[in-house]
Amino acid sequence: MVANLAIAYLAYMVCRLAFVAENWSMFGENLSSSAVPDIFRGSLLFDTSAILYTNSLYAIMLLIPLHLKEKAGWQKAAKWVFVVVNSLMVAANLADCVYFQYTGRRTTATVFSEFGNEGNIGGIIGVEFLRHWYLVLLFLFVVWALWRFYVIPKRRETKPLIIYYTLQTLCLAAFVPCCIAGMRGGWTRAVRPITLSNANQYVDHPLEAGIVLNTPFSVIRTIGKKAFVTPNYLSEEEMNTLFSPVHTPKNSLSSKKNIVILIVESFGREYIGAYNKWLEGGKYKGYTPFVDSLINHSTTFLYSYCNGRKSIDGMPSILSGIPMFVEPFFLTPAAMNDVSSIAGELKDKGYYSAFFHGAENGSMGFQAYARTCGFDDYFGRTEYNADKRFGGDNDYDGMWAIWDEPFLQFFATKMSEFKQPFVSAVFTASSHHPYKVPEKYKDVYPEEGIVIHKCIRYTDNAIRQFFEKARREPWYENTLFVITSDHTNLSDHAYYQTDLGGFCSPIIFFDPSGTLKPGMRNAIAQHIDIMPTVLSYLGYDKPYVAFGCDLLTTADKDTWAVNYQGGIYQYVKGDYLLQFDGERSKALYRFRTDLLLKQNLVAKEPKVANAMELQLKAIIQSYMTRMNENKLTIKEK
């Protein structure tokens, strides 16, 4: 079986070479020889997943503990299954050699709905067969090779049956976990099942992700994934009048300040005393004494929210102004779109950029996304371990990542080695399940309240130590710090357990130079506002796409937030929260006073509900349109 799977690998690689050759005009100029090893390594990862998915029936036929499989008829059937299945996969890969030039990305499962109502597909395919006859010949050659070089396993002795069945069962038991790991893309807990966006981890340009991927994988991993569907709520003119994510600054770049963004795992607004002076009758202190003190010198917002409930939602929202609607952006075919970020926009202004995450490199798809959206470098657990100034894996928490305290020190140290100006972002990990703190802190931060509280105290102290080090560095005064969480987590207050309360994240802008006026604004803020606010602060002068607003120039009454949960869009503006299911408004609450969202006013205040619904429809339609048409950046003409 191993020999035959190796033949399948060769078939996929032949198709990949044909893919590159057919689309050389798209890759040739940017594809450097130094990029080839990474592309090859990534392609093996995705080919492994696809080959194991598609050859699972074949593997079962050969490994099932059944002595009848040793008969010639069974082996012949297994050969036919192998050749037919892999021939179909080869056909899909070779078809994408042609189709890729029209789409700029590998075909996904949406192709079935995309062309489901087309009656001329047969004619189109026939024309392309004639135009690309050489690919047809290559297909026939590969199919012949699959048949010709197929290795029929040697017949095994089946007597005594007890020994035969025992050995065959052990072989199957050993193969299953290896197969699952190969399908997922790795063994460790940190590795989610790889998806399309992970291909960006191995390339320098998003277009090249098409080389790393293969078509069977792209189709399999998007089957059942709810594709973005563009609604027809409004005409294009009405939509753009009500909402447009295109920002057109009028200034010229007036500042070369560094930007440092701390995305703190699970660091919800609930845990921060400064946001909750009203909680528990005014007696609530929270678990973040340092962040509380920092807020006194920062610009922040009383009603601030994340745009998603998972770590993989936080990064696109915070860095690229892309909210989570329907599915995490990382996990949809739209992840292959052109996308920018704070780092990507500032690259042409001479900014160096780096992203830090103390987990295993590649974990959560962060490395791939950082590369996709324009970050120059990525520093993960691998780079931390390679730096002899730090403790390496002695500082590993045993589950997810390097503990926050040493990794944030590493973060500060590395920034002192960067040329200014720079954009740097770090994603912490310690305030996370299984909610542990380092051994030396167990008595310092004992169990209190709910299990995450001790972790929040530990991370707050790690942030304090980070700022103590940063204050001594030459880049500190010339830096804007942004502090937020990726999402919220466990709660022990009813307010933070409501539909809206589950999205309460801090958004803090700290400017040591005092350029930003400190204070808690009675405004609404969200993750997707961070990118336009940072670019506005710098006086950035080019048009860009971000779905949020610039909090520095938007009046408090005009600020808003949006998120999606369980099939419901939530839209917050003014005094109201609207809940909309995509077709009609389900609920309307005065969220500032009705803290637990008890009084549904959708029937009592239809004018408010209708006005908010219209605005939300424009946001949703703009989002879906841009996702489906790859319009998340401003194309240079």
Side-chain angles (χ1 to χ4, degrees):
M1 185 180 75
V2 173
N4 293 328
L5 292 181
I7 295 172
Y9 275 98
L10 288 174
Y12 275 62
M13 202 57 66
V14 167
C15 292
R16 182 168 285 106
L17 292 174
F19 178 87
V20 174
E22 182 67 24
N23 297 284
W24 184 252
S25 60
M26 302 175 72
F27 301 126
E29 183 177 347
N30 294 318
L31 190 60
S32 62
S33 58
S34 61
V36 172
D38 277 348
I39 290 175
F40 178 76
R41 184 163 54 90
S43 67
L44 287 179
L45 182 72
F46 289 93
D47 286 358
T48 297
S49 183
I51 288 169
L52 289 174
Y53 270 118
T54 57
N55 286 278
S56 56
L57 174 60
Y58 169 71
I60 290 172
M61 291 182 72
L62 292 191
L63 293 174
I64 188 172
L66 187 66
H67 69 279
L68 293 176
K69 72 181 182 182
E70 303 298 336
K71 295 186 178 295
W74 185 286
Q75 292 298 330
K76 188 174 182 180
K79 179 177 181 178
W80 272 103
V81 168
F82 175 85
V83 173
V84 170
V85 168
N86 285 287
S87 294
L88 291 173
M89 301 307 108
V90 168
N93 277 318
L94 292 179
D96 241 3
C97 293
V98 178
Y99 191 52
F100 181 84
Q101 61 191 276
Y102 299 107
T103 64
R105 59 186 180 186
R106 286 280 186 171
T107 297
T108 66
T110 58
V111 70
F112 301 113
S113 57
E114 185 177 352
F115 296 108
N117 296 318
E118 298 294 330
N120 60 345
I121 294 300
I124 294 172
I125 293 174
V127 170
E128 294 304 326
F129 271 4
L130 293 175
R131 289 179 177 175
H132 303 280
W133 54 267
Y134 45 89
L135 292 178
V136 177
L137 291 180
L138 179 60
F139 168 73
L140 294 175
F141 170 77
V142 174
V143 171
W144 172 83
L146 288 170
W147 182 270
R148 172 65 179 79
F149 295 106
Y150 179 88
V151 178
I152 298 177
K154 292 181 179 179
R155 184 176 179 181
R156 301 173 184 85
E157 180 61 44
T158 60
K159 295 180 179 180
L161 287 178
I162 185 67
I163 295 177
Y164 176 84
Y165 275 87
T166 299
L167 291 175
Q168 293 300 302
T169 300
L170 290 174
C171 288
L172 180 61
F175 175 77
V176 168
C178 294
C179 182
I180 293 172
M183 289 175 174
R184 284 174 55 87
W187 289 92
T188 66
R189 295 186 186 94
V191 177
R192 290 173 175 270
I194 54 173
T195 188
L196 304 186
S197 62
N198 291 97
N200 289 298
Q201 182 176 332
Y202 303 95
V203 299
D204 293 321
H205 307 283
L207 196 68
E208 295 167 2
I211 305 175
V212 176
L213 292 168
N214 60 74
T215 304
F217 176 88
S218 297
V219 172
I220 291 167
R221 290 297 292 129
T222 53
I223 289 174
K225 297 293 183 185
K226 200 167 183 179
F228 293 128
V229 178
T230 303
N232 296 311
Y233 297 136
L234 307 161
S235 69
E236 185 175 357
E237 183 180 357
E238 289 173 319
M239 177 185 71
N240 290 329
T241 299
L242 288 166
F243 174 79
S244 174
V246 177
H247 296 255
T248 53
K250 297 178 181 178
N251 301 326
S252 58
L253 190 68
S254 56
S255 173
K256 285 279 190 174
K257 284 200 171 187
N258 308 307
I259 303 298
V260 173
I261 302 171
L262 282 79
I263 306 172
V264 188
E265 173 67 47
S266 301
F267 208 70
R269 193 157 33 99
E270 176 177 4
Y271 312 130
I272 303 173
Y275 282 106
N276 298 286
K277 294 179 179 179
W278 55 274
L279 206 57
E280 296 181 3
K283 297 179 181 180
Y284 183 74
K285 300 298 182 183
Y287 303 89
T288 61
F290 175 74
V291 170
D292 283 344
S293 68
L294 194 68
I295 285 176
N296 292 331
H297 306 281
S298 304
T299 301
T300 189
F301 310 86
L302 188 58
Y303 302 100
S304 55
Y305 304 98
C306 51
N307 293 107
R309 296 297 303 271
K310 299 178 181 179
S311 295
I312 55 175
D313 299 326
M315 196 171 168
S317 297
I318 294 163
L319 300 177
S320 299
I322 299 173
M324 196 292 284
F325 283 171
V326 184
E327 294 282 354
F329 176 70
F330 272 20
L331 306 181
T332 68
M336 304 308 295
N337 286 349
D338 299 321
V339 63
S340 189
S341 66
I342 298 171
E345 293 299 327
L346 292 175
K347 190 181 294 288
D348 290 341
K349 299 298 183 180
Y351 275 71
Y352 167 78
S353 57
F355 188 85
F356 290 73
H357 183 218
E360 181 179 338
N361 288 43
S363 173
M364 302 295 293
F366 291 163
Q367 185 175 10
Y369 189 77
R371 201 164 185 175
T372 298
C373 71
F375 278 87
D376 294 312
D377 284 311
Y378 179 93
F379 295 88
R381 181 178 164 193
T382 299
E383 289 73 22
Y384 180 86
N385 290 347
D387 195 322
K388 301 305 180 184
R389 295 171 293 183
F390 296 88
D393 264 348
N394 290 329
D395 297 327
Y396 178 57
D397 67 10
M399 179 67 73
W400 293 108
I402 303 300
W403 291 111
D404 285 354
E405 181 182 334
F407 196 74
L408 287 176
Q409 291 295 300
F410 172 70
F411 180 49
T413 299
K414 294 300 294 183
M415 284 191 289
S416 297
E417 299 169 2
F418 296 163
K419 181 182 177 181
Q420 298 187 58
F422 58 79
V423 179
S424 192
V426 63
F427 206 120
T428 72
S430 295
S431 40
H432 194 290
H433 184 275
Y435 308 116
K436 298 191 303 181
V437 296
E439 190 68 30
K440 67 178 182 178
Y441 283 108
K442 282 191 174 181
D443 294 332
V444 178
Y445 305 119
E447 297 289 343
E448 58 177 324
I450 52 179
V451 292
I452 196 174
H453 287 161
K454 65 182 182 295
C455 303
I456 296 296
R457 286 198 185 276
Y458 166 74
T459 294
D460 178 72
N461 187 59
I463 295 171
R464 177 185 64 79
Q465 292 184 6
F466 165 77
F467 273 95
E468 285 182 356
K469 179 174 179 57
R471 286 191 185 100
R472 300 191 295 268
E473 304 302 325
W475 48 267
Y476 177 75
E477 288 290 333
N478 189 45
T479 300
L480 173 67
F481 295 88
V482 183
I483 303 171
T484 188
S485 67
D486 56 339
H487 54 74
T488 59
N489 206 302
L490 302 178
S491 169
D492 59 350
H493 294 95
Y495 174 77
Y496 290 102
Q497 295 167 1
T498 65
D499 291 338
L500 184 59
F503 289 88
C504 292
S505 284
I507 296 178
I508 304 164
F509 295 95
F510 172 61
D511 177 7
S513 71
T515 302
L516 277 181
K517 182 180 178 181
M520 179 84 73
R521 284 173 54 183
N522 188 29
I524 298 165
Q526 57 186 324
H527 276 166
I528 58 175
D529 295 337
I530 291 174
M531 178 175 171
T533 302
V534 166
L535 294 179
S536 172
Y537 171 84
L538 297 175
Y540 185 70
D541 57 351
K542 288 186 175 181
Y544 62 91
V545 173
F547 285 88
C549 68
D550 166 19
L551 295 169
L552 300 182
T553 60
T554 303
D556 289 0
K557 65 181 180 62
D558 294 325
T559 55
W560 55 276
V562 67
N563 50 59
Y564 180 92
Q565 179 172 254
I568 300 294
Y569 295 92
Q570 299 193 130
Y571 180 48
V572 186
K573 190 172 185 181
D575 295 328
Y576 294 92
L577 161 66
L578 178 76
Q579 294 183 333
F580 175 67
D581 68 1
E583 296 182 3
R584 64 187 182 91
S585 294
K586 304 279 288 185
L588 181 73
Y589 302 100
R590 285 183 173 267
F591 76 97
R592 294 177 189 257
T593 53
D594 181 9
L595 301 184
L596 300 183
L597 308 181
K598 297 290 189 181
Q599 301 296 319
N600 185 352
L601 306 174
V602 71
K604 294 181 180 180
E605 300 193 43
K607 288 185 179 180
V608 175
N610 291 340
M612 291 185 71
E613 180 181 313
L614 200 60
Q615 294 167 354
L616 179 55
K617 283 179 174 178
I619 296 169
I620 296 168
Q621 186 170 326
S622 179
Y623 180 93
M624 298 301 177
T625 298
R626 289 181 177 276
M627 286 292 173
N628 289 327
E629 296 181 6
N630 192 9
K631 292 183 178 179
L632 298 177
T633 59
I634 302 297
K635 309 283 187 182
E636 293 187 6
K637 296 181 179 180

